[in-house]
Amino acid sequence: MPPFFQPVIDRIAADIATAPGRGRPADYIPALAEADPQRFGMAVAELDGTVYGVGDWQQPFSAQSITKVFTLALVLSLEGETLWEHVGREPSGNPFNSLVQLEYEHGIPRNPFINAGALVVTDRLHRLTGNASGALQEFLRAESSNPLLDFDERVTASETAHGDRNAALAHFIASYGNITTPVPELLHQYFRQCAAEASCADLARAAGFLARHGIRADGSVLLSRSKAKQVNAVMLTCGTYDAAGDFAYRVGLPGKSGVGGGIIAVVPGRCSLCVWSPGLDERGNSVAGVAALDRFTTLTGLSVF
Ligand code: GLN
């Protein structure tokens, strides 16, 4: 097949370069505040792992909440439906780090992609594997074909030093018995997870199992077709927090953002994508990243709708 995607993403990069407004890098994690909002990269991975890229597509950045997709997939593969007794799958309509729903919903977070839900997922992964961040690293290295993929311990330390809100979430959930790993250990695992450094090429490839209906890069089954559909559905409805409605409207794909400025997106049965630009909007999603994915689905007609 001719490289259908390359001219499309080249055109998007040219459009983005002249688009006004880039947002601002996350500053509540000091190590992320230094990122340059003018950086932009985009990669598209075919089902066989062939990657097309443009701009800063090979530049590693802080994956942050994008990792929540991978920990969710690992826990679903290991323990299946039991997970849904501990975390919901409804959009929260609240910011990603909000505490407000947790009390009246008895310590069961709305979904696995807000911080509260991700802490529960990481707790379960840690109990299932004995080393949640290690399991994530092994998975990301294998799926991205990048054996050097690693955590940025400087980001882990920065987030640990400014992690009061996540600590509050974890202690509060633990008070309901919905987290059982000791909170300091859980936070260490979670902050390391968020500090995974990966490029657009790495993350587009790593998300490939969701485009292949649950099949890993080596051909083995991580998730059944039905479970892969479930993960994609939760990404569509909850992956960009309280902007998930607007993201579905503009992009029309399952997607997951992170405050490092990355967003992964999936066209089931066709390809997986990752865009990166560190400037965020007020909901914590990359401004240029959402714009680029919006252009991608408009130009190609590839969407789940
Ligand atoms: N590490 C970040 C946090 O816990 C992840 C948030 C995000 O990427 N939306 O605050």
Side-chain angles (χ1 to χ4, degrees), residues 26 28-29 32 62-68 96-97 113-116 118-119 155 159 162-163 165-166 169 190-191 193-195 239 241 256-262 280 283-285:
Y28 76 103
I29 304 171
L32 299 182
S62 194
Q64 294 293 322
S65 284
I66 292 174
T67 58
K68 292 171 180 159
F96 64 83
N97 55 6
F113 294 152
I114 51 174
N115 287 9
L119 286 161
V155 174
E159 198 160 357
H162 296 84
R165 187 170 269 268
N166 285 313
L169 286 166
Y190 172 77
F191 292 144
Q193 163 188 329
C194 291
Y241 320 112
K256 180 77 205 81
S257 60
V259 292
L280 308 180
R283 274 124 162 208
N285 299 311

Side-chain angles (χ1 to χ4, degrees), residues 9-253:
I9 59 177
D10 288 346
R11 182 167 161 195
I12 293 170
D15 291 350
I16 293 292
T18 58
R22 282 292 169 109
R24 292 187 30 223
D27 53 11
Y28 76 103
I29 304 171
L32 299 182
E34 303 148 15
D36 174 3
Q38 292 308 317
R39 306 294 296 270
F40 173 83
M42 182 168 193
V44 185
E46 303 259 24
L47 300 183
D48 67 1
T50 307
V51 178
Y52 304 98
V54 70
D56 298 313
W57 66 291
Q58 289 165 305
Q59 168 69 43
F61 62 90
S62 194
Q64 294 293 322
S65 284
I66 292 174
T67 58
K68 292 171 180 159
V69 172
F70 303 109
T71 50
L72 171 65
L74 287 170
V75 172
L76 278 178
S77 81
L78 291 168
E79 73 169 0
E81 297 295 309
T82 311
L83 171 68
W84 300 119
E85 294 165 21
H86 300 273
V87 63
R89 42 180 193 254
E90 291 293 346
S92 71
N94 276 308
F96 64 83
N97 55 6
S98 172
L99 284 137
V100 294
Q101 283 163 342
L102 268 181
E103 180 156 29
Y104 56 82
E105 296 182 357
H106 311 293
I108 308 285
R110 269 293 169 97
N111 68 66
F113 294 152
I114 51 174
N115 287 9
L119 286 161
V120 169
V121 172
T122 299
D123 171 58
R124 302 199 74 74
L125 185 59
H126 198 56
R127 282 158 47 186
L128 288 159
T129 63
N131 181 358
S133 57
L136 172 71
Q137 184 187 51
E138 194 182 312
F139 181 78
L140 288 177
R141 285 181 172 178
E143 298 309 295
S144 66
S145 320
N146 177 3
L148 301 179
L149 195 150
D150 214 339
F151 303 108
D152 181 342
E153 300 298 357
R154 204 175 61 97
V155 174
T156 309
S158 182
E159 198 160 357
T160 304
H162 296 84
D164 290 334
R165 187 170 269 268
N166 285 313
L169 286 166
H171 281 292
F172 198 57
I173 300 167
S175 78
Y176 288 95
N178 198 22
I179 277 174
T180 59
T181 305
V183 168
E185 172 62 11
L186 175 63
L187 289 171
H188 179 65
Q189 292 293 324
Y190 172 77
F191 292 144
R192 272 195 107 202
Q193 163 188 329
C194 291
E197 284 273 306
S199 67
C200 289
D202 293 331
L203 291 171
R205 273 208 192 96
F209 73 96
L210 290 169
R212 292 185 296 265
H213 305 296
I215 306 298
R216 292 187 63 161
D218 66 0
S220 63
V221 177
L222 178 72
L223 299 173
S224 66
R225 190 179 179 107
S226 167
K227 281 210 175 65
K229 175 204 72 180
Q230 291 165 358
V231 174
N232 280 326
V234 181
M235 283 171 72
L236 181 76
T237 53
C238 310
T240 45
Y241 320 112
D242 45 341
D246 193 55
F247 187 83
Y249 173 86
R250 290 181 63 190
V251 176
L253 292 176

